[in-house]
């Protein structure tokens, strides 16, 4: 066999394993998609350390920022690659936002950091058991197809709002109590900052590329916006939003003094699964684990539906390919994040940016994962992309995901109302789980009230009951404790 024939055989085996051609994709699309996903997610390497690093445990201890950054990149890289190889689905993973805040500001103050991360490991193990027993997949199948569609649409709006807020296009009104308007455009209702200028120009540039069907439009938009931001910063010297309300969010876009830095992996394995139960009490620990479990369980369900929907990868019942493998890797990632002291890792909706670039297989994950591993050493380069540049992709992808809303039957109130609540509550409460919970509960109530209780899957009754407990967890904690 000639070397050329051998190379062709390897390529064909690679194509068959990842189903590249079968899903209507090609290697260049997957590579572009992997880069796009990474650039829309790279902020987590900086943001997760800032969130966890700003919290203190019961002893007043803090976690080192450098070690958090390296651990965040390491776990995200390894788990994203694992998702690509095992599930072969274009869904990247990293430390979950919201969950990390829960760990930093609610769980850690009740115990040590090692104990808090031990609870995250316990939650990851429990959710892995739910996957292995098939329960997590059964719950996913029990959700009606149109409600799954609504979940995808809601996440699209949520993604757009994240982009607008991160870019500073939408701001919380400083004294919201004195007005009926809780948020506003820009600062004081006007857009007069250089970062806002970069975001608007970058968004329009990306939309034009997208409308003209330019390959790599989203990735080009991110890179182009970053270059414009670097030029603007070099001329105007805007600085960070931490010291200047008109400054850049997350990162100041200027060329770094050095490109490579050695990673600090000292936090790997810094967790304890036993001491928290005696330190904080078993009831407190149970409530914390339950909250983590519900959040991870349903956030991932919504995210993988949205990604599959955007990529045309769902079957007639709204299920993505290899659902069990997707859920298994996601569950293992939760425990891995705790074991590395960087909080629970979960699937990222920003993966939609890669799907928007044409990614349809796990090959895109290989690219994104390797870039995360490089980010351990190249953190200075990762830290030059401001939110104002990366957020353009989130707005465009939000629009793409919104298009599926036409698949919902708006004449049947028993599904239209749950869909409406799911779609609206996700962005308005800044939580995927809240939207799914409201949709599931209202679906069960309306179907039962309209004499259609037989249409409710038996498992969905239990899911609705769990969500009721989830929404009542605050009063329950006060009453029980």
């Amino acid at each position: 066999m000639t070397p050329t024939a051998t190379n062709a055989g390897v390529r064909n085996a690679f194509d068959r394993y990842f189903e590249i051609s079968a899903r209507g994709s090609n290697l260049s699309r997957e590579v572009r998609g992997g880069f796009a996903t990474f650039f829309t997610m790279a902020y987590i390497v900086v943001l997760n350390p800032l969130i966890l690093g700003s919290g203190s445990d019961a002893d007043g201890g803090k976690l080192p920022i450098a070690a958090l950054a390296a651990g965040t990149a390491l776990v995200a890289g390894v788990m994203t690659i694992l998702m690509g190889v095992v599930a072969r689905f274009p869904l990247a993973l990293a430390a979950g936002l919201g969950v990390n805040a829960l760990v930093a500001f609610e769980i850690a103050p009740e115990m040590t950091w090692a104990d808090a991360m031990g609870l995250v490991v316990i939650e990851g193990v429990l959710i892995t058991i739910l996957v292995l027993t098939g329960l997590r997949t059964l719950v996913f199948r029990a959700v009606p197809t149109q409600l799954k569609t609504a979940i995808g649409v809601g996440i699209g709006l949520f993604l757009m709002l994240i982009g607008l807020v991160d870019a500073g296009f939408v701001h919380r009104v400083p004294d919201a109590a004195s007005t009926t308007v809780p948020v506003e455009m820009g600062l004081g209702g006007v857009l007069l900052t250089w970062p806002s200028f970069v975001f608007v120009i970058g968004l329009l540039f990306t939309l034009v590329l997208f409308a003209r069907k330019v390959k790599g439009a989203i990735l080009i938009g991110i890179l182009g916006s970053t270059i414009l931001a670097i030029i603007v910063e070099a001329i105007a010297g805007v600085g960070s939003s931490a010291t200047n309300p008109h400054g850049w969010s997350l990162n100041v876009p200027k060329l770094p003094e050095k490109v490579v830095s050695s990673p600090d992996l000292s936090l790997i394995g810094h967790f304890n699964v036993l001491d928290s139960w005696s330190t904080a009490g078993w009831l407190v620990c149970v409530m914390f684990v339950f909250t983590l479990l519900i959040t991870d369980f349903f956030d991932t369900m919504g995210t993988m539906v949205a990604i599959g929907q955007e990529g045309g990868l769902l079957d007639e019942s709204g299920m993505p390919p290899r659902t069990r493998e997707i859920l298994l890797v996601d569950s293992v990632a939760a425990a891995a994040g705790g074991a590395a002291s960087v909080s629970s890792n979960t699937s990222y909706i920003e993966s939609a940016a890669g799907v928007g670039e044409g990614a349809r297989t796990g090959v895109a994950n290989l690219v994104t994962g390797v870039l995360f591993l490089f980010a351990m050493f190249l953190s200075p380069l990762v830290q030059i992309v401001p939110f104002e540049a990366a957020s353009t992709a989130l707005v465009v992808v939000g629009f793409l995901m919104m298009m599926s809303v036409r698949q919902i039957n708006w004449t049947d109130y028993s599904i239209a109302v749950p869909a409406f609540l799911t779609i609206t509550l996700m962005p308005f409460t800044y939580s995927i789980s809240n939207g799914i919970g409201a949709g599931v509960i209202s679906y069960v109530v309306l179907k039962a009230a309209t004499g259609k209780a037989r249409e409710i899957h038996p498992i969905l009754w239990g899911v609705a009951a769990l969500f009721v407990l989830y929404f009542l967890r605050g009063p329950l904690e006060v009453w029980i404790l």
Side-chain angles (χ1 to χ4, degrees):
M1 184 179 292
T2 65
T4 301
T6 301
N7 293 338
V10 171
R11 287 197 301 271
N12 289 336
F14 185 81
D15 184 290
R16 286 195 301 272
Y17 180 80
F18 286 101
E19 301 175 347
I20 302 174
S21 298
R23 296 186 186 180
S25 185
N26 57 53
L27 195 57
S28 64
R29 288 182 184 176
E30 298 299 318
V31 171
R32 284 202 314 270
F35 270 91
T37 295
F38 172 76
F39 279 114
T40 56
M41 286 180 61
Y43 69 84
I44 196 61
V45 179
V46 178
L47 188 56
N48 191 51
L50 291 179
I51 293 173
L52 291 176
S54 62
S56 300
D57 64 12
D59 299 327
K62 287 185 173 292
L63 297 177
I65 298 295
L68 284 170
T72 298
L74 174 64
V75 178
V78 172
M79 299 314 302
T80 296
I81 291 173
L82 189 63
M83 179 70 80
V85 173
V86 175
R88 299 172 237 174
F89 192 70
L91 187 60
L93 301 96
L97 290 173
V99 174
N100 55 8
L102 174 68
V103 172
F105 304 119
E106 293 188 40
I107 300 179
E110 300 288 336
M111 56 196 75
T112 67
W113 278 110
D115 295 338
M117 293 303 172
L119 290 184
V120 175
V121 172
I122 291 172
E123 178 263 330
V125 171
L126 288 176
I127 206 168
T128 300
I129 293 173
L130 291 178
V131 174
L132 294 176
T133 57
L135 182 59
R136 198 177 184 189
T137 305
L138 285 175
V139 171
F140 182 69
R141 291 184 180 277
V143 178
T145 301
Q146 291 192 58
L147 197 55
K148 290 175 185 173
T149 300
I151 290 170
V153 174
I155 290 177
L157 289 181
F158 182 34
L159 203 60
M160 181 200 69
L161 182 59
I162 290 173
L164 294 177
V165 171
D166 287 348
F169 192 89
V170 171
H171 269 91
R172 181 183 293 107
V173 176
D175 186 13
S178 63
T179 177
T180 57
V181 181
V183 294
E184 62 185 5
M185 182 182 69
L187 288 172
V190 293
L191 295 172
L192 293 175
T193 67
W194 282 113
S196 295
F197 168 78
V198 169
F199 170 71
V200 171
I201 296 300
L203 178 59
L204 291 174
F205 174 59
T206 305
L207 290 172
V208 169
L209 293 176
F210 187 79
R212 293 179 65 87
K213 303 186 186 309
V214 174
K215 292 182 178 179
I218 294 176
L219 181 57
I220 294 172
I222 296 172
L223 296 177
S225 299
T226 302
I227 292 171
L228 176 60
I230 292 173
I231 295 172
V232 167
E233 175 61 21
I235 296 173
V238 178
S240 170
S241 60
T243 56
N244 173 15
H246 300 290
W248 304 98
S249 298
L250 188 64
N251 296 320
V252 176
K254 58 182 179 181
L255 296 178
E257 295 179 0
K258 60 178 181 179
V259 175
V260 179
S261 62
S262 300
D264 178 359
L265 301 177
S266 60
L267 288 177
I268 305 298
H270 186 66
F271 69 96
N272 189 322
V273 299
L274 298 176
D275 287 355
S276 58
W277 300 87
S278 58
T279 302
W282 71 271
L283 279 176
V284 172
C285 292
V286 167
M287 290 305 297
F288 280 146
V289 171
F290 175 72
T291 302
L292 289 169
L293 188 69
I294 288 292
T295 302
D296 270 350
F297 195 107
F298 290 99
D299 272 12
T300 298
M301 187 181 79
T303 299
M304 72 177 186
V305 167
I307 298 301
Q309 189 171 288
E310 172 62 20
L313 299 175
L314 302 182
D315 60 22
E316 59 279 357
S317 62
M319 298 286 288
R322 298 184 183 85
T323 297
R324 186 171 184 272
E325 286 82 356
I326 295 172
L327 295 176
L328 180 61
V329 174
D330 179 86
S331 303
V332 171
S341 293
V342 295
S343 184
S344 175
N345 272 231
T346 188
S347 302
Y348 258 60
I349 189 57
E350 282 86 346
S351 305
V355 175
E357 280 295 343
R360 296 293 183 271
T361 77
V363 176
N365 277 42
L366 304 184
V367 176
T368 302
V370 169
L371 290 173
F372 266 120
L373 295 180
F374 276 132
M376 289 194 302
F377 303 91
L378 303 176
S379 57
L381 283 181
V382 175
Q383 296 176 27
I384 70 172
V385 182
F387 269 145
E388 290 81 3
S391 294
T392 56
L394 302 185
V395 177
V396 174
V397 171
F399 157 73
L400 294 175
M401 296 172 68
M402 178 69 188
M403 294 172 66
S404 299
V405 74
R406 63 182 181 274
Q407 299 174 15
I408 299 171
N409 181 9
W410 295 103
T411 62
D412 180 358
Y413 290 172
S414 65
I415 187 63
V417 172
F420 167 75
L421 292 175
T422 299
I423 291 169
T424 55
L425 288 182
M426 281 188 194
F428 290 158
T429 65
Y430 233 65
S431 168
I432 293 175
S433 292
N434 288 349
I436 295 176
V440 169
I441 293 173
S442 60
Y443 176 82
V444 169
V445 170
L446 290 176
K447 284 292 185 182
T450 54
K452 301 177 182 177
R454 291 183 179 179
E455 297 180 15
I456 304 172
H457 194 289
I459 291 179
L460 219 54
W461 288 99
V463 173
L466 286 175
F467 268 119
V468 170
L469 293 176
Y470 171 76
F471 287 124
L472 293 177
R473 67 190 185 279
L476 285 175
E477 287 175 4
V478 173
W479 180 65
I480 295 175
L481 304 179

